[in-house]
Amino acid sequence: SHSHSHGEEKCEDPACDDPSHSHSHSHGDAAAEAECEVCGEHGHSHSHHVHDDAVTSVSLAMDGEVDLDKVNDWLGMLLNDRWQDLFRMKGVLAIEGCDDRYVFQGVHALFEGMPDRPWEDGEARTSRLVFIGKQLNRSELEAGFEACKVGAAAGAGAGA
């Protein structure tokens, strides 16, 4: 049997395929005893989750301060070139000349950053980044991040 929910209205059309309608299904005993083609289990109370092994995360940490202009240029280039593969990124940065931690986050091609709380006395000024996406290249990301460190050679890790 099929039931459809429209708030207060009720859809009586069993052939309805309107995507705005919610559908629930119940099966008689014969269907409940049918064997699942994927795993051989009986009944319909289970699901099969498929994990895409191409989706990974890369976490990076670097002591010392980073140059905000270099970071913005690098992340801008990275997002311009790889926005379809970069699902999410976030981090805390130790920006040269800034007494506050700088936090940022991004989703696909959009990212934003802002000063957070001040660095504590004795707290290591360590920048940390996390990327989640498809087919991420750890060594490429490390090289790009290292090139943003204050005093790094210009163009290092940027593919130039």
Side-chain angles (χ1 to χ4, degrees), residues 39-55:
C39 67
E41 286 187 28
H42 294 280
H44 293 273
S45 62
H46 65 282
S47 66
H48 299 278
H49 174 75
V50 178
H51 179 73
D52 184 351
D53 290 327
V55 177

Side-chain angles (χ1 to χ4, degrees), residues 4 8 11 13 16 28 39 43 59 83 102 112 114 141 144-145:
H4 304 276
E8 298 301 316
C11 179
D13 182 2
C16 175
C39 67
S59 299
W83 69 270
Y102 193 83
E112 65 178 2
M114 66 195 72
L141 293 171
F145 192 29

